[in-house]
Amino acid sequence: MINVTKTYLPNKEQYIKYIDEIWERVQLTNNGPLLRELESELKKYLEVENLYYCGNGTIVLQIALKALEVQGDIITTPFSYCATTNSILWENCTPVFVDIEPTTFNIDPALIEQAITPDTRAIMATHVYGNPCQIEAIETIAQKHNLKVIYDAAHAFGVKYRNRSLLSYGDISTCSFHATKVFHTIEGGAIISNHPELNEKLHLLRAFGHRGDEEYLFAGINGKNSEFHAAMGLCNLPHVGAIIEARKEVFGWYNDLLNWEKLQKPLISDDIEYNYAYYPVVFESESVMRRVQAALAEQDIVPRRYFYPSLNTLPFMPRRYACPVSEDIALRVLSLPLYVGLAQEEVQLIGTIINQHL
Ligand SMILES: *Cc1c(COP(=O)(O)O)cnc(C)c1O
């Protein structure tokens, strides 16, 4: 089977060396030495000051909302993974959806401004497929209306915008290190904050909210991660550059092969350093998408409807919003297989099948 993604695995002996160290120390979790080493390496790699390694890319969104004390309406994008919206609901805030730009599939800043009311407290935007949102426009709006900005940067590891890690923007950016992402620690995530004064709070929020055995400060959560996960991160981090290069090559093969008269892809600005996280293509209609999906399935090739559905249409949303662009793209998009080790012949086969069924 050729799946949409295949997890990168490091050298097993190297991982086992870390495991042996864990066995010696008998410290499996609770801010252990491997976790602290990973945090320090990530800060170096990303050139950021304040970073907290956590359990996954969803709990970090929740912790971000708690740390910034956001309560009320949050303007957010309908074109993302459901974790973005779910974290807002889970924190008892209300998602207010505004539509996306038809070119980049990122949240449309002009519509953000229109949607602001006295109840608006924050903007939660996703850098879709690792492609930066309109950061300056969003920042200007946020400052004008005194709103917090949280970026769900789950796709953005390794991306640089204006010579800085894309993870370093907003009040807080969060990342996911899930096994399907460009850089992974099996499960995992990180909070990157631009507020050093929040550091202790973030540290405490991810570990139940108490300092030592005696000071119980507030209701934290368990957002910790283990030494085993940190070890996987330490094995993978030195290879991220090569991983991104390998993905870039696959990206180029698809670019050359596919029939762009009948397909659309999101516009990726050329003034960024990109990470080639996904290869989404948008078909002319939902029925063409289904036809291609079925033809690929016959050859055991499994792309992913990513993102589908448009989050504003989820049945459990408290309010209804129309987001015609997002709803339309979500019906027609497929993310194609893209991973280290995907062979050129396999990409050729995928491209040929797609072109034949357009
Ligand atoms: C993967 C992903 C998440 C969730 O990350 P987990 O680590 O799986 O919890 C959140 N938002 C987006 C946009 C994602 O792609």
Side-chain angles (χ1 to χ4, degrees):
M1 180 171 100
I2 302 177
N3 201 12
V4 61
T5 186
K6 183 174 175 183
T7 299
Y8 177 86
L9 286 174
N11 178 288
K12 199 169 163 189
E13 279 65 46
Q14 199 197 352
Y15 188 63
I16 289 169
K17 256 169 75 183
Y18 281 116
I19 303 308
D20 287 341
E21 282 180 32
I22 297 170
W23 243 254
E24 299 257 313
R25 270 192 300 268
V26 202
Q27 180 172 5
L28 276 53
T29 185
N30 283 1
N31 209 27
L34 294 179
L35 181 139
R36 280 177 277 135
E37 189 183 336
L38 178 64
E39 281 185 343
S40 144
E41 292 300 318
L42 286 169
K43 283 183 211 178
K44 266 191 251 164
Y45 183 85
L46 299 167
E47 296 172 347
V48 296
E49 300 278 321
N50 314 299
L51 178 148
Y52 290 88
Y53 176 55
C54 296
N56 58 66
T58 307
I59 197 77
V60 286
L61 288 166
Q62 293 172 225
I63 294 174
L65 291 172
K66 276 281 193 299
L68 296 168
E69 297 177 16
V70 174
Q71 282 182 332
D73 289 2
I74 301 178
I75 294 177
T76 190
T77 177
F79 198 70
S80 184
Y81 183 57
C82 63
T84 316
T85 308
N86 289 354
S87 67
I88 294 172
L89 293 171
W90 201 277
E91 292 306 318
N92 282 322
C93 295
T94 307
V96 173
F97 292 101
V98 306
D99 213 344
I100 56 171
E101 302 170 320
T103 46
T104 64
F105 310 166
N106 279 327
I107 195 166
D108 186 337
L111 300 176
I112 295 180
E113 185 117 49
Q114 288 171 25
I116 292 171
T117 74
D119 296 327
T120 310
R121 295 289 176 273
I123 299 165
M124 187 183 280
T126 301
H127 301 301
V128 175
Y129 308 127
N131 195 21
C133 294
Q134 289 203 39
I135 287 178
E136 287 81 12
I138 291 173
E139 198 166 300
T140 306
I141 295 165
Q143 269 169 8
K144 185 167 151 199
H145 297 275
N146 195 22
L147 306 175
K148 305 286 187 200
V149 178
I150 297 162
Y151 285 114
D152 180 342
H155 296 178
F157 195 89
V159 177
K160 279 195 173 174
Y161 177 70
R162 301 199 148 197
N163 284 322
R164 264 170 60 188
S165 167
L166 185 52
L167 299 170
S168 69
Y169 291 88
D171 289 288
I172 288 181
S173 283
T174 63
C175 199
S176 165
F177 304 148
H178 183 255
T180 53
K181 309 293 204 247
V182 168
F183 164 75
H184 83 90
T185 68
I186 311 170
E187 293 273 356
I191 300 179
I192 298 94
S193 140
N194 278 315
H195 298 285
E197 70 276 11
L198 288 182
N199 276 352
E200 207 198 358
K201 192 174 180 186
L202 289 168
H203 179 64
L204 291 167
L205 275 172
R206 80 169 166 188
F208 306 106
H210 66 92
R211 207 192 277 129
D213 272 352
E214 300 195 356
E215 281 180 282
Y216 283 73
L217 300 163
F218 41 72
I221 189 104
N222 184 354
K224 292 183 278 103
N225 213 334
S226 82
E227 291 291 276
F228 294 83
H229 294 82
M232 181 60 85
L234 287 169
C235 290
N236 284 338
L237 190 57
H239 302 290
V240 173
I243 289 170
I244 291 174
E245 276 307 307
R247 303 179 77 98
K248 182 179 178 180
E249 195 174 20
V250 176
F251 220 83
W253 296 334
Y254 277 127
N255 282 349
D256 292 345
L257 257 167
L258 293 170
N259 179 359
W260 296 109
E261 279 169 24
K262 300 203 164 182
L263 289 169
Q264 186 201 346
K265 59 182 166 177
L267 185 72
I268 293 167
S269 36
D270 45 19
D271 59 347
I272 63 164
E273 250 179 70
Y274 191 47
N275 66 355
Y276 307 92
Y278 297 90
Y279 202 96
V281 287
V282 181
F283 298 88
E284 280 180 332
S285 65
E286 186 185 8
S287 65
V288 176
M289 185 279 292
R290 291 237 182 247
R291 194 161 73 213
V292 169
Q293 193 185 30
L296 290 170
E298 275 181 29
Q299 304 290 323
D300 220 11
I301 299 165
V302 188
R304 185 168 176 205
R305 299 191 74 185
Y306 198 69
F307 298 112
Y308 173 85
S310 186
L311 299 171
N312 59 306
T313 67
L314 288 171
F316 46 86
M317 287 307 143
R319 293 185 209 152
R320 288 286 142 209
Y321 296 90
C323 300
V325 180
S326 172
E327 288 166 42
D328 175 47
I329 300 286
L331 286 176
R332 297 189 283 130
V333 70
L334 285 180
S335 284
L336 304 183
L338 171 59
Y339 49 84
V340 178
L342 186 64
Q344 190 163 12
E345 304 80 71
E346 292 173 317
V347 171
Q348 230 140 24
L349 174 66
I350 296 166
T352 307
I353 295 172
I354 292 173
N355 288 341
Q356 276 170 354
H357 291 85
L358 296 177

